Amino acid sequence: MQLPLHIASITNTWSQLMALMLDVNVTSSLATINWDNLNSSVNGKLFQYAPFARACFKDAEGVVGAYDANACAFAQAHYSDGQYRDTIPSSYQGLQWETCSSTGESCLLDWMNPLNEAAFAYPKACQQGSIPAYFLEVQSASDVQDAFKFSVETGVDLVVKNTGHEFQGRSARPGSLALWTKNLQKIAYEPAWIPTGCEDIAPRTAVRLEPGITFNDLYAFGEANNVTLPGGSTPSVSATGGYVLGGGHGGLSNTAGLGADRALEFTVVVPTGDVLIANACQNQDLFFALRGGGGGTFGVVMETVTLALPRTPIQVVTLDGLSTDVNTTRAFWKVLVDNSLVWANAGWGGYAAATSLQYINPLPISEEDAQTSMQPLTDFAAQLGLTVIHEQYESFAVFYQQILEPLYAISGFPLSTSSRLLPAQNFETPESREELLDALLNASANHSLTYVFATTPYAYKADNLTSVTPAWRDSLLLIEVLDTLEYNTTASEQREVIEGLSKSMDFLRNITPTSGTYFSESDLYEPDHEKSFWGANYEKLAEIKLKYDPLHVLDCWHCVGWKGRSDQAYSCYP
């Protein structure tokens, strides 16, 4: 995948750009007395935000802000900067969710070359697309309560927006009110934490954090406190929020479990207006739902307590530079398929694609043992004149800061995906492995990217108090096939891409009929999504949804209790 063009120097500042994107005057054409009343009740924390690229457009329709050449240069320079995009409420890391696909309304730059004037030159007009009409900067539980009340009284849709990492557009919706939680930034180390309201529970080492904390923040905090806090690979993703609520996988998941497994307690505002604590001792049904039932569904999480693990060294193996020809890819993936079960049992997890692999192991094994277990990979690489690099890092955070963070810092481009969990039973015999390899190659053919994630909790002993699909537990790999879009891709073209991805994923679905996939990184048109995301847990989740959100104040695409494609809320979907 080509990376976007960046300019070397900039002449503006973040604050200048924000001033152009932000309108604090809630008496604009969109505002009504109800908006004014809400703004008053939340003490002036209600705002309108222009699209990220607003300053580049001389013409605009229905958006705030203004054209400004210097601010445009700043936006162009930071267009693919995920951590900068985090700070902008109206920014989405998947750019298609800043548009209304069905009508073509948008305000995008060309992500491949943000300097390309064809994307923004007059008479091209900047339009709001699917970006919410208003954003409420959440600072307290009462802000959320006021928003819930406002939604019930006015019928205005609510979405929950954090850092904007979206495959499904669940935090974008035209005409909606977004509850923006990014600025909730507290984090605290709890060396002897006991769940609220629990008795006779042994203390555990934990960290208490608010939803605005990203993985970049989390890993640095863990390192400073001599603990390991596992998570994902993209630095600008929220370490709680939708990551944990949807399940949450990463390089350490094989031995440390999913993000949902490590969540020990939530403080959450539910749509009935109650502020509840959910853990293994109280509101256990809500605790179950929040550990994998999906974000933006059961309430707004204000704080999460997550388990902290000891700081330990990790072994790392890296192979890079493989050719993309189909024969090399087949031989490489055959090594992965043939050895995935052995490697998972030995503690390995990580990431691979067609041209590279990086696996990590936090278990106390020697470098010699690590090399021995990875000998099949070493032998394969040697046949091609390549070398597998074996390294030891003093901690996961050190490895992340030196290796993963620079690789995954780029964000802000339109991307569609389809995915599938691959059960261990498909790896058990030579025949089943060959069938799997054929299906994997067929599924990946003619698409931009294919990721092979060894990030399932296969070696982890779960407590059975999570609501993710049980397919996570007996799967060895998560496969994701992706295609990029252009800034001017039409709705019909998007549908063609999404349908093509889904059709390709059928090669894997057909040989894994009882499996499922990851709620947060799935096919936009995922068939039988209730079964795919939650399996046998769905009926229980639907009951919990009705209990805590009886008026259905929160709704999002393919979430528990989803109203369906025909609902007006999804009019912009392709």
Side-chain angles (χ1 to χ4, degrees):
M1 179 178 66
Q2 250 184 306
L3 298 180
L5 176 69
H6 294 275
I7 60 177
S9 61
I10 53 176
T11 59
N12 216 317
T13 65
W14 177 90
S15 59
Q16 287 174 307
L17 180 60
M18 284 295 289
L20 288 161
M21 297 177 70
L22 171 65
D23 183 7
V24 297
N25 178 12
V26 294
T27 61
S28 68
S29 59
L30 277 175
T32 68
I33 185 64
N34 291 321
W35 290 106
D36 289 334
N37 289 344
L38 175 62
N39 191 47
S40 177
S41 67
V42 299
N43 298 314
K45 295 192 288 288
L46 187 67
F47 302 100
Q48 289 177 281
Y49 281 87
F52 188 93
R54 168 65 184 95
C56 295
F57 288 76
K58 292 183 177 179
D59 193 16
E61 298 173 3
V63 300
V64 298
Y67 168 76
D68 183 279
N70 289 333
C72 175
F74 189 88
Q76 289 169 322
H78 290 79
Y79 207 60
S80 297
D81 182 343
Q83 295 188 68
Y84 173 69
R85 278 186 165 273
D86 271 2
T87 66
I88 307 298
S90 57
S91 168
Y92 289 80
Q93 310 287 356
L95 294 183
Q96 69 269 38
W97 302 116
E98 294 183 13
T99 76
C100 182
S101 295
S102 63
T103 64
E105 295 179 11
S106 68
C107 190
L108 299 182
L109 302 182
D110 179 354
W111 68 274
M112 295 290 288
N113 177 9
L115 302 182
N116 179 9
E117 293 186 5
F120 57 88
Y122 184 83
K124 176 70 174 177
C126 175
Q127 298 166 305
Q128 194 78 358
S130 290
I131 297 170
Y134 284 87
F135 292 82
L136 170 56
E137 182 184 342
V138 175
Q139 294 180 3
S140 66
S142 64
D143 293 335
V144 179
Q145 290 170 322
D146 287 338
F148 283 149
K149 181 181 178 182
F150 172 82
S151 178
V152 170
E153 291 176 347
T154 64
V156 171
D157 283 351
L158 293 182
V159 294
V160 183
K161 169 74 163 59
N162 195 337
T163 60
H165 287 268
E166 282 283 3
F167 280 111
Q168 308 289 335
R170 293 174 175 129
S171 62
R173 191 173 304 168
S176 66
L177 169 63
L179 303 182
W180 189 48
T181 60
K182 178 65 180 74
N183 284 343
L184 294 170
Q185 294 275 335
K186 293 179 182 176
I187 185 169
Y189 179 54
E190 301 278 356
W193 180 82
I194 296 175
T196 305
C198 294
E199 299 178 0
D200 301 323
I201 299 291
R204 307 177 79 176
T205 305
V207 168
R208 186 186 302 273
L209 66 158
E210 292 183 334
I213 297 296
T214 64
F215 286 130
N216 220 26
D217 305 321
L218 185 74
Y219 298 147
F221 184 84
E223 189 70 2
N225 287 277
N226 202 37
V227 294
T228 297
L229 298 168
S233 56
T234 303
S236 54
V237 170
S238 167
T240 57
Y243 174 80
V244 168
L245 300 177
H249 67 116
L252 294 177
S253 293
N254 181 40
T255 56
L258 299 172
D261 290 316
R262 296 185 303 276
L264 304 176
E265 184 172 285
F266 300 94
T267 301
V268 56
V269 186
V270 294
T272 56
D274 298 310
V275 182
L276 302 176
I277 291 175
N279 57 33
C281 301
Q282 57 180 311
N283 299 308
Q284 293 96 327
D285 56 350
L286 185 58
F287 184 56
F288 169 81
L290 295 173
R291 295 176 96 206
T297 306
F298 299 97
V300 177
V301 173
M302 303 297 292
E303 183 182 83
T304 302
V305 178
T306 188
L307 180 67
L309 305 176
R311 182 179 185 269
T312 58
I314 63 168
Q315 300 287 337
V316 179
V317 295
T318 304
L319 173 61
D320 202 358
L322 291 166
S323 167
T324 57
D325 73 87
V326 67
N327 291 329
T328 300
T329 300
R330 183 181 185 92
F332 175 40
W333 286 354
K334 178 173 172 55
V335 174
L336 296 186
V337 170
D338 286 348
N339 292 278
S340 285
L341 183 57
V342 172
W343 289 343
N345 285 326
W348 292 99
Y351 315 91
T355 62
S356 62
L357 171 147
Q358 191 157 60
Y359 272 29
I360 61 179
N361 195 327
L363 299 184
I365 62 173
S366 67
E367 186 175 348
E368 181 180 359
D369 288 340
Q371 292 175 348
T372 299
S373 66
M374 282 289 168
Q375 194 62 46
L377 183 67
T378 301
D379 293 342
F380 164 74
Q383 294 172 12
L384 302 175
L386 299 173
T387 301
V388 173
I389 299 172
H390 292 255
E391 298 172 290
Q392 178 172 298
Y393 290 81
E394 58 184 288
S395 71
F396 172 73
V398 171
F399 162 70
Y400 173 82
Q401 289 162 0
Q402 294 182 11
I403 305 299
L404 289 186
E405 181 183 353
L407 291 176
Y408 290 92
I410 294 172
S411 190
F413 44 87
L415 200 65
S416 291
T417 188
S418 190
S419 59
R420 193 69 173 174
L421 289 162
L422 304 185
Q425 67 184 37
N426 291 84
F427 296 77
E428 290 177 350
T429 68
E431 294 77 17
S432 64
R433 290 195 295 271
E434 193 68 15
E435 178 186 54
L436 176 57
L437 181 59
D438 287 340
L440 180 55
L441 288 164
N442 285 328
S444 65
N446 303 314
H447 295 293
S448 302
L449 291 166
T450 297
Y451 287 124
V452 180
F453 291 121
T455 55
T456 62
Y458 186 75
Y460 178 79
K461 305 303 179 186
D463 60 11
N464 297 318
L465 296 177
T466 62
S467 49
V468 296
T469 173
W472 273 107
R473 307 298 173 189
D474 59 10
S475 292
L476 293 174
L477 300 175
L478 172 66
I479 304 299
E480 294 189 14
V481 178
L482 308 98
D483 279 325
T484 55
L485 307 171
E486 302 300 327
Y487 74 92
N488 56 355
T489 301
T490 66
S492 61
E493 290 169 338
Q494 283 190 48
R495 283 193 294 271
E496 184 177 345
V497 168
I498 297 164
E499 289 167 357
L501 285 164
S502 192
K503 183 177 180 180
S504 293
M505 194 52 59
D506 283 342
F507 286 106
L508 290 172
R509 292 186 184 118
N510 290 339
I511 65 168
T512 59
T514 62
S515 189
T517 194
Y518 179 29
F519 170 82
S520 298
E521 296 170 8
S522 61
D523 194 322
L524 191 67
Y525 300 157
E526 181 68 33
D528 198 6
H529 69 276
E530 296 97 337
K531 177 184 175 184
S532 288
F533 300 155
W534 300 290
N537 293 323
Y538 184 76
E539 288 188 9
K540 181 177 179 181
L541 286 169
E543 293 175 358
I544 297 169
K545 169 71 173 177
L546 186 62
K547 175 180 176 180
Y548 292 100
D549 188 9
L551 299 180
H552 214 100
V553 177
L554 295 176
D555 190 75
C556 50
W557 184 269
H558 281 184
C559 295
V560 173
W562 182 45
K563 293 177 182 177
R565 173 62 186 262
S566 62
D567 191 88
Q568 182 62 27
Y570 308 107
S571 60
C572 278
Y573 274 68

